[in-house]
């Protein structure tokens, strides 16, 4: 009995120490679970779609708009920004509502959210960039059918938090926009000799003597670049270059 009484304070101290250790372990676990604002995983959400997981050149999604709106650089940039706004905010909204949306109507809810954002973007373009909105015409409205937008909602936003979903939307839209801009750059430059409407390769006169720049050397605009099939060929060249320098993308 005396021995039990003697050991009691020591046992109590051991129990306290164990409790402190458990508390410390829990504290460390919580700290590890708290992810940094721009952690490596979060940065990958922004950077992977630019190269390793590009929605156009790797996932082969959103090809139609890449063919249709890349004749000039300006509408391609506007389209990229419009898709980025729609993807970022639709990802955020669906992620925030993911636990409230019944599974059987999730597609309808996603379409309503995306359609509302597309209508908002269209109205903003009409108000502040009317000429460009006329050039893009129906293609802004067709963002709702873009495979990339719906794909990210299904594949990512429904299973992840709001902040990560926002980054995923920005990253994938940036990867999509990057390809649009590269294709539009070469199509407008080689097809019309201009960028943003400004003459880059010189001025083409009625005769060779009246021409300047590359046109004075006999250069002629490649009208084939303005046709939709050339957009597909340029995308193919980008895919070839990308896989040549990134061996991870080569299929076994």
């Amino acid at each position: 009995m005396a021995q039990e009484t003697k050991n009691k304070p020591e046992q109590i101290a051991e129990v306290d120490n164990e409790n402190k250790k458990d508390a410390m372990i829990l504290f460390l676990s919580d700290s590890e679970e708290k992810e940094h604002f721009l952690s490596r995983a979060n940065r990958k959400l922004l950077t992977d779609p630019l190269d390793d997981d590009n929605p156009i050149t790797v996932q082969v999604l959103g090809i139609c708009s890449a063919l249709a709106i890349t004749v000039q650089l300006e509408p391609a940039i506007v389209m990229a920004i419009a898709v980025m706004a729609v993807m970022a905010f639709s990802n955020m909204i669906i992620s925030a509502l993911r636990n409230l949306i019944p599974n059987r109507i999730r597609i309808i809810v996603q379409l309503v959210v995306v359609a509302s954002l597309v209508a908002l973007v269209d109205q903003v373009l009409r108000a502040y960039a009317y000429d460009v909105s006329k050039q893009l015409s129906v293609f802004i409205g067709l963002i709702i059918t873009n495979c990339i937008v719906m794909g990210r909602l299904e594949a990512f936003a429904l299973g992840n938090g709001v902040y990560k979903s926002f980054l995923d939307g920005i990253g994938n839209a940036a990867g999509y926009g990057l390809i649009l801009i590269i294709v539009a750059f070469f199509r407008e430059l080689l097809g019309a000799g201009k960028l943003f409407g400004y003459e880059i390769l010189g001025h083409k006169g009625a005769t060779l003597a009246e021409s300047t720049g590359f046109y004075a050397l006999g250069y002629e605009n490649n009208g084939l670049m303005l046709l939709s099939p050339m957009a597909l060929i340029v995308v193919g060249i980008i895919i070839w270059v990308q896989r040549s320098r990134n061996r991870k993308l080569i299929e076994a």
Side-chain angles (χ1 to χ4, degrees):
M1 186 68 180
Q3 184 67 29
E4 288 180 2
T5 308
K6 185 180 178 181
N7 289 340
K8 252 185 177 177
E10 296 173 357
Q11 291 173 350
I12 292 172
E14 288 177 3
V15 170
D16 288 344
N17 289 334
E18 289 297 324
N19 289 336
K20 287 178 181 175
K21 287 179 182 176
D22 291 343
M24 183 62 71
I25 290 170
L26 286 174
F27 174 76
L28 290 174
S29 298
D30 288 344
S31 300
E32 288 170 357
E33 286 176 359
K34 289 178 181 174
E35 200 169 3
H36 190 270
F37 193 65
L38 281 176
S39 65
R40 184 179 178 184
N42 287 340
R43 290 200 304 274
K44 283 174 71 67
L45 292 175
L46 293 173
T47 57
D48 273 4
L50 297 177
D51 189 6
D52 291 351
D53 199 22
N54 188 279
I56 291 182
T57 59
V58 178
Q59 301 176 32
V60 196
L61 298 174
I63 294 291
C64 299
S65 54
L67 305 182
I69 59 165
T70 51
V71 175
Q72 292 181 318
L73 198 51
E74 186 180 7
I77 292 174
V78 172
M79 184 69 173
I81 295 172
V83 170
M84 184 176 289
V86 171
M87 286 189 70
F89 288 105
S90 63
N91 264 18
M92 286 179 65
I93 294 170
I94 293 300
S95 174
L97 299 175
R98 68 187 188 281
N99 295 324
L100 304 174
I101 304 173
N103 188 52
R104 63 182 182 279
I105 63 167
R106 72 183 191 285
I107 298 295
I108 298 174
V109 175
Q110 290 169 16
L111 287 173
V112 169
V113 170
V114 174
S116 302
L117 290 169
V118 168
L120 185 61
V121 167
D122 185 44
Q123 292 303 309
V124 170
L125 285 179
R126 286 174 183 271
Y128 296 101
Y130 184 69
D131 291 338
V132 178
S133 73
K134 283 176 62 180
Q135 281 182 282
L136 292 173
S137 63
V138 298
F139 296 108
I140 288 293
L142 288 177
I143 292 176
I144 190 174
T145 63
N146 193 313
C147 310
I148 304 171
V149 178
M150 295 301 292
R152 298 321 298 172
L153 293 177
E154 279 287 299
F156 197 91
L158 284 175
N160 291 277
V162 174
Y163 179 60
K164 282 181 177 292
S165 297
F166 175 75
L167 295 181
D168 181 77
I170 293 288
N172 278 277
Y176 166 81
L178 176 65
I179 300 301
L180 288 193
I181 290 168
I182 292 174
V183 174
F185 174 85
F186 286 108
R187 290 186 72 190
E188 184 175 3
L189 181 65
L190 300 179
K194 301 177 181 178
L195 289 176
F196 294 107
Y198 293 101
E199 295 175 339
I200 301 299
L201 300 181
H203 174 70
K204 181 176 174 54
T207 62
L208 195 62
E210 295 175 354
S211 300
T212 61
F214 284 89
Y215 295 106
L217 301 174
Y219 177 80
E220 292 291 335
N221 289 331
N222 186 350
L224 194 63
M225 293 297 291
L226 301 179
L227 302 179
S228 294
M230 280 310 296
L232 195 60
I233 292 174
V234 175
V235 170
I237 293 172
I238 294 172
I239 292 173
W240 174 67
V241 172
Q242 186 185 24
R243 278 165 169 69
S244 298
R245 53 176 287 275
N246 190 345
R247 311 300 294 180
K248 291 186 297 184
L249 299 178
I250 298 177
E251 297 176 357

